[in-house]
Amino acid sequence: MRNVTLADNERELSSISSAIAEQTAQSLQGVELLLRRAAVLTDVERVGTSSSTSTEFLRGQMGGVPQVRELTVADASGKLIASSAAADGSAINIAARPYFQYLEHAKGDAIAISEPITSMVDGKPTFAIAIRLESDSGRFEGVAIALIEEDYFRNFYREVDLQPGTQIRLLRTNGEPIIAYLQPASAPMGKRIQSVTHLVHGFPLAIQALRNESFVLADWRAFAINVLVRTALIATVIAMLAFLLIKLLRSLQGVIEQLRSSEQRWRAVFEHAPVGVLVLHAHSNYLMANPAFERMLGYSREELARLRAIDITHPDDIEVTKSNIDDLVTGRCDSVRFQKRYLHRDGHVVWTDMSIARVFAIYGPAAQSGRPTEHMLIATAEDITQRLDDEDRRRRLEDQLRQSQKLEALGTFAGGVAHDFNNILGAILGYGERALSVLGEGTPERRYVDQMTRAGDRARLLVERILTFSRSGMTARVHVHLQPVVAEAIELLKGTLPATIKLDVRLDADDAFAMGDATHMHQIIMNLGSNAVHAMPQGGVLGVALVRVRSGAPVSFSHGAVGSRDFVRLTVKDTGIGIPADVLERIFNPFFTTRRAGEGTGLGLSLVDGIVREYGGGIDVQTAPGEGTRFDVYLPVTDAPPAPHEHGRESLPHGDGQVVLLVDDEDTLVTLGEEVLAELGYEPVGFRSSIAAWEALVTGPNRFDAVITDQTMPELTGLALAARIRTLRPGLPVILCSGFSNTTLERDAREEGVLTVLRKPLRQADIAEALARAFKPASSH
């Protein structure tokens, strides 16, 4: 009986430690998932998010995870960069912590459990769970740390209703205890201890359940003494038999109480498990379901008792569920694990990770045949809907990043081609202008040259489109009154519509202005309108709407994201054939088109995407096959009125013999520039080398009255030359020319004191007006 008592106690300790280890694993898995989500905070910190924002972000992540008392992120040097604690932890460094040093030299998704520590933020005892943060290349970037509430686990151990003298300890794998809880006992503890240890699945931890043998064998000793006394006195005192019988019944009552206590302990584990636990008949009704499963699907225990497993299973997963249960019933396997979808009571889909095992079989009247009539199954269901959604969102973001990188590479290539082409166009248009000025009206030669310059203008517009596509074509922005520009573009589009297409226009943003270029708005409407017409071969309705909207919070669209501010929303929708899913994800790719060869270039939507991104806006696409497509273009607006329009002058401003230093590495453009400057009344001095030009400036700094320089040159760029001029002679006007200019170049030019940036190909009027502005202050004196 002593051996049986010890064996029963060992089984009970094993069950307790196993159940608590499973609960601990489930709790820590939630902590690990929280750490994975909090790891994105390191990217937030790089772009300058305030400490209060990061604190609120981490506190928001801790909602519903009571076992975490503090969430912290540290960089690769051990310095805390964010914490859910209100105190400023910027001066705290955890590089000396053993778990930090372990993760620093680990690889992959490493996780570490610390020894019992004292929080550097609030000085309270705790222990830490930390994960390694690394870049895509595997470089160590820091750790995300969750400080655990020790009382959370102690309270759970206390609720298990342990016998007196029972101790539960949470150990690290090296045997070092982190948390220990002892059920108080009135009697003194002995030296012999029974213990059972179970590893915590997925973590370097173990649960150890211990009980003193003096408590375990207390009932056995009492029973043994009673038996000895009864045997010794049975021959002399018959009356003692009744007394001993009563003692035995009392002992049996104690066993019953122990069984009842054991049932209560297991009921506590069943009721408080964080995952759904089910007991059911194979292919039949649910017998039991814990509260976690009820909350997961929205059904009460009574409703589940009237349902079968397939009644609330997603129709597409019924067969796989039946197949796995059949494998258990036929004995092909003892347990199965798979993912399946349930239908929540309100209709939405719940993804679960199922684990099912066959426990035993119940025999009915057919037991004589040796065949069981029913099979009992026990299953656990973990809700993984959010995790799958997070993984899907991460894959979409990765796809967008790869697409952005492709577009950036294509844009760089297009910008380089446009730069070289602009230099060629500069010579063509420049000499074309000069030829027109010397040819008589009505002569064949003038007509030929005029056609040549018109072709050059068309080429210049093509370069503008290439620069816009490369996201580098916008150099100077002006205030654009959007509604008249949109109305003008719609009038142009209306003339190309077939009779089978009806135009529905609604413009309600008369007070909206944007900083940009009116030509870009024309390009957006014409490209979206052309695609809409192409999508309605049998006719339909083309809708165009313009309205001003307010975004109160950051919003992510299907293509791009915007912050919190005022926007104007341009909507172009059709009632055409729609866009298939496999085509939708590629519509903004350069050179992608669904039209036949010769009908489209595939650059239209790429151009629209480039313009919208350059403006800091976003595009939202909604489509359904057979129901049409809707493009919503969001552009930031400003309340400032548009700049007044300057009328052209009948004659260009001329100089008074000022000496202008001209620098360009293209021989043709230097020769052309000297002729143009001489014709405008200036004395040009041209250089084909920026180094030679700088040496001329050093030799005679007061010789020149202005400098016109190209930006892209092999030896010394135009900005670098401007920086040197600024140190040599700060007041000398510098005009910068570029065939591949952008807003970054303009900003850098202003910082170096450049008067203005001109975009190639240059016209004589551009040079004349720029020099007039350069010498205007001097002439006013």
Side-chain angles (χ1 to χ4, degrees):
M1 186 174 180
R2 180 180 185 278
N3 292 337
V4 170
T5 301
L6 292 175
D8 289 343
N9 180 71
E10 184 174 2
R11 283 194 295 272
E12 182 180 1
L13 291 178
S14 177
S15 300
I16 292 173
S17 63
S18 176
I20 295 178
E22 179 67 17
Q23 186 272 342
T24 303
Q26 295 292 342
S27 298
L28 297 185
Q29 285 171 4
V31 176
E32 182 181 4
L33 179 59
L34 175 62
L35 288 174
R36 300 296 178 193
R37 289 200 304 263
V40 77
L41 182 62
T42 56
D43 293 329
V44 177
E45 288 295 334
R46 291 193 190 101
V47 295
T49 303
S50 66
S51 59
S52 61
T53 303
S54 61
T55 298
E56 292 302 322
F57 174 80
L58 291 176
R59 287 179 176 174
Q61 296 300 309
M62 291 169 57
V65 190
Q67 58 268 40
V68 178
R69 64 185 296 270
E70 181 180 327
L71 193 59
T72 306
V73 179
D75 61 18
S77 67
K79 179 182 179 182
L80 298 190
I81 59 174
S83 173
S84 62
D88 183 11
S90 61
I92 296 175
N93 193 292
I94 63 170
R97 296 286 197 190
Y99 65 84
F100 181 91
Q101 297 174 358
Y102 165 76
L103 291 176
E104 184 178 11
H105 299 91
K107 299 294 183 182
D109 296 332
I111 185 169
I113 307 295
S114 76
E115 70 282 5
I117 61 175
T118 300
S119 172
M120 291 185 177
V121 176
D122 56 15
K124 294 182 180 179
T126 181
F127 73 95
I129 298 180
I131 64 170
R132 173 184 170 91
L133 306 179
E134 63 180 21
S135 64
D136 294 340
S137 62
R139 181 173 58 85
F140 175 66
E141 291 190 345
V143 297
I145 311 136
L147 296 185
I148 304 304
E149 285 284 358
E150 295 183 359
D151 289 340
Y152 173 85
F153 291 97
R154 289 198 179 93
N155 292 336
F156 178 80
Y157 303 156
R158 187 179 297 110
E159 292 176 358
V160 175
D161 190 18
L162 302 172
Q163 289 187 6
T166 303
Q167 185 177 20
I168 302 297
R169 297 200 300 175
L170 179 63
L171 309 176
R172 299 176 71 193
T173 52
N174 61 1
E176 179 183 8
I178 300 178
I179 299 175
Y181 171 78
L182 174 64
Q183 184 70 14
S186 58
M189 300 284 287
K191 295 182 178 181
R192 296 178 61 85
I193 301 294
Q194 267 193 319
S195 67
V196 177
T197 303
H198 271 83
L199 296 177
V200 178
H201 179 68
F203 296 90
L205 295 171
I207 294 295
Q208 187 179 48
L210 307 95
R211 188 174 292 159
N212 195 285
E213 283 191 4
S214 62
F215 291 94
V216 176
L217 297 175
D219 291 342
W220 170 81
R221 291 193 182 94
F223 183 82
I225 292 172
N226 288 336
V227 171
L228 292 175
V229 172
R230 183 182 59 184
T231 304
L233 299 179
I234 194 170
T236 58
V237 184
I238 301 302
M240 288 296 295
L241 293 175
F243 176 77
L244 293 176
L245 180 59
I246 294 173
K247 294 288 290 183
L248 178 61
L249 292 176
R250 289 178 177 175
S251 298
L252 292 176
Q253 182 65 30
V255 173
I256 293 174
E257 291 296 332
Q258 290 181 358
L259 292 175
R260 184 178 295 110
S261 176
S262 178
E263 180 184 357
Q264 291 175 351
R265 290 193 294 270
W266 283 109
R267 173 64 63 179
V269 173
F270 179 80
E271 295 290 338
H272 295 90
V275 297
V277 181
L278 315 170
V279 180
L280 69 159
H281 293 305
H283 303 305
S284 186
N285 296 68
Y286 291 100
L287 297 179
M288 296 177 64
N290 71 338
F293 188 75
E294 296 172 17
R295 292 191 298 270
M296 187 186 303
L297 297 183
Y299 291 95
S300 67
R301 188 167 304 181
E302 294 74 17
E303 291 172 328
L304 289 172
R306 298 191 295 269
L307 296 172
R308 299 176 300 167
I310 62 174
D311 293 337
I312 55 177
T313 299
H314 192 280
D316 295 340
D317 292 344
I318 291 178
E319 290 302 322
V320 68
T321 303
K322 289 182 177 179
S323 175
N324 282 287
I325 293 178
D326 288 340
D327 289 342
L328 292 172
V329 171
T330 57
R332 284 194 290 268
C333 55
D334 296 329
S335 63
V336 294
R337 185 168 183 173
F338 60 99
Q339 290 184 357
K340 66 173 290 186
R341 289 167 287 182
Y342 280 105
L343 294 177
H344 193 276
R345 182 168 183 164
D346 62 12
H348 76 266
V349 176
V350 178
W351 275 96
T352 61
D353 188 357
M354 297 292 301
S355 180
I356 309 178
R358 182 168 65 94
V359 182
F360 57 84
I362 302 175
Y363 289 84
Q368 297 178 355
S369 65
R371 184 177 61 188
T373 59
E374 195 62 78
H375 294 269
M376 188 75 66
L377 305 178
I378 185 168
T380 60
E382 179 184 1
D383 188 349
I384 60 173
T385 306
Q386 185 61 45
R387 187 178 75 193
L388 294 179
D389 290 343
D390 292 342
E391 291 176 355
D392 182 63
R393 187 178 300 108
R394 177 180 55 80
R395 285 192 295 269
R396 289 199 304 269
L397 290 174
E398 289 175 350
D399 292 340
Q400 291 178 5
L401 176 60
R402 285 193 293 269
Q403 180 65 16
S404 176
Q405 291 171 342
K406 292 178 183 178
L407 292 177
E408 182 178 359
L410 287 172
T412 301
F413 171 75
V417 173
H419 170 265
D420 293 338
F421 197 38
N422 269 331
N423 284 335
I424 299 172
L425 282 178
I428 295 174
L429 294 176
Y431 280 111
E433 279 187 340
R434 297 192 59 74
L436 286 175
S437 66
V438 299
L439 293 174
E441 294 287 343
T443 62
E445 293 82 0
R446 183 179 181 87
R447 187 173 69 254
Y448 300 153
V449 175
D450 186 53
Q451 290 297 329
M452 179 189 70
T453 56
R454 291 181 181 179
D457 282 331
R458 289 195 297 272
R460 180 173 57 83
L461 294 176
L462 176 61
V463 173
E464 289 289 335
R465 294 187 63 184
I466 294 175
L467 289 175
T468 302
F469 163 70
S470 69
R471 294 174 175 81
S472 302
M474 187 178 297
T475 56
R477 298 184 181 184
V478 297
H479 290 87
V480 178
H481 193 183
L482 294 175
Q483 185 157 310
V485 174
V486 173
E488 179 183 348
I490 292 174
E491 288 300 319
L492 295 175
L493 180 63
K494 186 186 301 183
T496 64
L497 296 180
T500 56
I501 294 180
K502 179 182 177 182
L503 185 62
D504 181 17
V505 180
R506 298 182 181 182
L507 305 181
D508 190 18
D510 188 54
D511 60 340
F513 296 87
M515 293 297 295
D517 189 343
T519 304
H520 292 161
M521 293 300 300
H522 279 265
Q523 291 172 333
I524 292 174
I525 295 174
M526 296 303 291
N527 279 298
L528 293 180
S530 174
N531 287 345
V533 172
H534 179 74
M536 297 184 289
Q538 306 301 324
V541 178
L542 171 60
V544 181
L546 188 72
V547 63
R548 185 165 179 165
V549 296
R550 170 70 180 175
S551 175
V555 181
S556 295
F557 299 118
S558 57
H559 292 82
V562 298
S564 174
R565 60 174 300 173
D566 289 331
F567 292 90
V568 64
R569 182 180 66 205
L570 172 65
T571 300
V572 178
K573 60 181 180 179
D574 62 69
T575 57
I577 59 178
I579 304 176
D582 59 329
V583 175
L584 181 61
E585 62 184 14
R586 303 171 60 194
I587 58 175
F588 291 101
N589 290 2
F591 310 112
F592 173 77
T593 179
T594 58
R595 303 185 188 183
R596 292 191 297 270
E599 293 186 0
T601 62
L603 288 176
L605 288 180
S606 296
L607 178 64
V608 172
D609 183 53
I611 293 173
V612 174
R613 289 179 184 273
E614 184 73 27
Y615 277 64
I619 305 175
D620 193 41
V621 184
Q622 302 175 23
T623 184
E627 298 182 7
T629 303
R630 171 173 174 156
F631 284 81
D632 286 324
V633 177
Y634 292 82
L635 299 175
V637 298
T638 176
D639 292 329
H645 179 71
E646 293 185 0
H647 297 284
R649 303 175 182 175
E650 296 181 357
S651 60
L652 298 177
H654 282 60
D656 295 325
Q658 294 93 335
V659 180
V660 178
L661 176 63
L662 178 64
V663 188
D664 200 306
D665 60 337
E666 292 284 341
D667 292 344
T668 305
L669 295 183
V670 172
T671 304
L672 174 63
E674 288 177 336
E675 294 180 6
V676 170
L677 288 172
E679 186 176 312
L680 291 173
Y682 300 100
E683 182 181 341
V685 179
F687 285 91
R688 292 162 180 79
S689 167
S690 53
I691 296 296
W694 169 246
E695 292 174 351
L697 279 166
V698 172
T699 303
N702 297 320
R703 174 187 175 190
F704 303 100
D705 299 304
V707 177
I708 300 177
T709 177
D710 186 26
Q711 162 61 11
T712 305
M713 293 182 289
E715 297 171 322
L716 190 67
T717 66
L719 280 178
L721 179 60
R724 292 189 180 186
I725 294 173
R726 187 178 182 183
T727 60
L728 178 67
R729 185 179 166 190
L732 184 63
V734 178
I735 299 171
L736 187 67
C737 306
S738 176
F740 184 50
S741 58
N742 52 32
T743 53
T744 302
L745 178 62
E746 290 184 347
R747 184 186 65 247
D748 294 342
R750 286 193 299 270
E751 292 175 355
E752 297 299 341
V754 173
L755 176 66
T756 186
V757 178
L758 300 180
R759 185 188 303 176
K760 290 183 176 181
L762 300 179
R763 295 296 188 93
Q764 188 177 21
D766 298 333
I767 299 174
E769 292 175 0
L771 288 173
R773 290 196 300 271
F775 296 128
K776 184 176 180 180
S779 63
S780 64
H781 293 296

